[in-house]
Amino acid sequence: MIPISDLISLLRDRNARRIALQFPAGLKREAYAVASALKEQGFEPLISGDPCYGACDLANDLLPYADILVHFGHTPLNATEKILFELIPRDFALNALETALPFFTEKRIGLVTTAQHAHLVMAMVEWLGKNGFEAVVVEGSPRTPLPGQVLGCSFESARRTGATEILYVGTGLFHPLGVQLATKARVIALDPFSREIQVVDASHLLRRRFAMIEKARKAKTIGVIVSLKRGQQRWDLARRLIALSNRAVLIVMHDITPDELLNLGMECYVNTACPRLVYDDQSQFPAPLLTPSEFEIVCGVRSWDEYQIDEIGSQ
Ligand code: SF4
């Protein structure tokens, strides 16, 4: 179970009694145990049962019913004194890095990871140093506050290493693909638990995106989507995109789902909300769902050679 003794002290310090709890999908099964433990300590917990994908998507709508919202699993974004962020760090054995060593072609490498492993970044730098490699880690940014941290919508920490070879330590393939597209560096992805290693190749993803751009060129009806989730809202960008095409209209949504886009029935959509919707979920949507820079290509104001991965906060 998630350790909550420090959390209990924090809640008592703030005289909070009604506690709203929000978990992302990977931690939701912990909700019952955390709520029960808080109840035993005299608190009145309530669990957000809605989907949650990141700190961009805070359950602020529960705040009228609670003294404080505790958001688990992510680093702070749009923090206020009524919101506590509880990151759940995950350890791994540093010698997992051994698997990556034969894949390095340079002595100086950039190092990035996800928030869950960011507490191990300096230990990784030291371990790699002892094994003959200089690992470069940069300070965080407002969206990724921990050193070396990347998010699915921000690869700033990778770009600012200036390295031409980057090690990504973490699970999943989306983040290292994003690192490669954002930096053009050679990217090595290491899963520190399975110790699986991959030299990342984003060319398949780019081919799929190229096909969507070509399909979108024929669309007569285009919806540019703005999210109402506070950490995903990009109104200025959406308005700039609308002005590029007289076929484009503005759509405002809380949750961008295949069913709702099917109901709207347009031939192409442009997403200014979470970038991962486009890269991870395109196959579920009924029409091309383009990133802002892909739409610029369709509108002829950007060339394919200037393709840019979509990031929030870099535009
Ligand atoms: S916008 Fe998407 S990638 Fe960025 S924090 Fe939110 S859910 Fe994660």
Side-chain angles (χ1 to χ4, degrees):
M1 167 171 145
I2 294 173
I4 58 163
S5 49
D6 289 351
L7 175 62
I8 287 172
S9 306
L10 279 172
L11 294 173
R12 290 208 168 117
D13 286 350
R14 295 187 182 207
N15 288 324
R17 192 166 57 90
R18 293 199 172 123
I19 317 295
L21 304 171
Q22 185 183 29
F23 300 82
L27 292 173
K28 256 196 168 110
R29 295 286 168 108
E30 304 279 344
Y32 183 83
V34 172
S36 297
L38 288 175
K39 194 174 165 200
E40 271 173 28
Q41 295 293 323
F43 296 100
E44 287 180 37
L46 61 107
I47 299 166
S48 166
D50 285 330
C52 167
Y53 302 99
C56 57
D57 186 13
L58 296 172
N60 287 321
D61 50 350
L62 293 188
L63 280 173
Y65 315 103
D67 300 320
I68 217 156
L69 166 68
V70 185
H71 178 97
F72 289 84
H74 299 111
T75 47
L77 190 64
N78 298 321
T80 72
E81 58 182 25
K82 291 201 85 182
I83 306 171
L84 282 177
F85 290 85
E86 284 287 299
L87 185 61
I88 313 295
R90 286 194 73 194
D91 287 332
F92 59 83
L94 284 179
N95 64 8
L97 297 172
E98 266 168 18
T99 329
L101 300 184
F103 288 83
F104 296 150
T105 61
E106 297 182 20
K107 287 289 178 195
R108 181 183 181 276
I109 51 160
L111 175 64
V112 292
T113 186
T114 55
Q116 286 70 26
H117 307 311
H119 64 297
L120 295 175
V121 153
M122 292 330 286
M124 287 193 262
V125 169
E126 198 179 325
W127 191 96
L128 288 165
K130 281 187 187 144
N131 285 276
F133 295 91
E134 181 200 350
V136 183
V137 173
V138 299
E139 286 304 310
S141 66
R143 207 165 175 89
T144 51
L146 304 176
Q149 179 192 358
V150 288
L151 262 183
C153 56
S154 177
F155 303 100
E156 194 61 30
S157 306
R159 197 182 293 107
R160 282 197 284 118
T161 64
T164 51
E165 189 154 83
I166 295 179
L167 173 64
Y168 164 81
V169 180
T171 51
L173 249 193
F174 178 75
H175 290 91
L177 281 169
V179 170
Q180 185 177 59
L181 288 172
T183 63
K184 315 280 185 281
R186 182 169 180 271
V187 178
I188 294 133
L190 170 67
D191 179 327
F193 302 112
S194 68
R195 302 197 175 194
E196 232 174 88
I197 191 127
Q198 283 196 46
V199 179
V200 176
D201 178 5
S203 61
H204 300 289
L205 175 62
L206 281 180
R207 273 201 289 278
R208 288 200 300 273
R209 297 317 307 161
F210 185 77
M212 281 301 138
I213 290 170
E214 290 309 301
K215 197 169 170 190
R217 288 186 197 282
K218 299 176 196 114
K220 295 188 188 68
T221 50
I222 299 165
V224 175
I225 303 169
V226 172
S227 170
L228 284 174
K229 296 178 199 289
R230 185 156 169 229
Q232 300 184 11
Q233 270 176 35
R234 290 188 283 177
W235 285 97
D236 290 349
L237 173 64
R239 290 196 179 102
R240 185 169 67 70
L241 296 172
I242 294 276
L244 293 179
S245 167
N246 55 15
R247 291 172 291 160
V249 295
L250 189 64
I251 303 170
V252 183
M253 302 176 83
H254 280 284
D255 288 311
I256 301 157
T257 64
D259 280 351
E260 289 311 321
L261 296 197
L262 189 63
N263 287 341
L264 284 163
M266 296 181 203
E267 293 173 18
C268 170
Y269 297 93
V270 184
N271 172 51
T272 67
C274 173
R276 293 197 63 167
L277 284 168
V278 169
Y279 296 113
D280 281 347
D281 300 339
Q282 172 69 74
S283 61
Q284 298 171 33
F285 286 103
L289 182 64
L290 302 185
T291 68
S293 80
E294 290 169 355
F295 185 56
E296 287 172 348
I297 295 173
V298 169
C299 295
V301 295
R302 180 188 288 271
S303 74
W304 174 251
D305 292 341
E306 295 167 314
Y307 188 92
Q308 238 183 24
I309 187 162
D310 188 21
E311 292 176 77
I312 298 182
S314 65
Q315 307 188 33

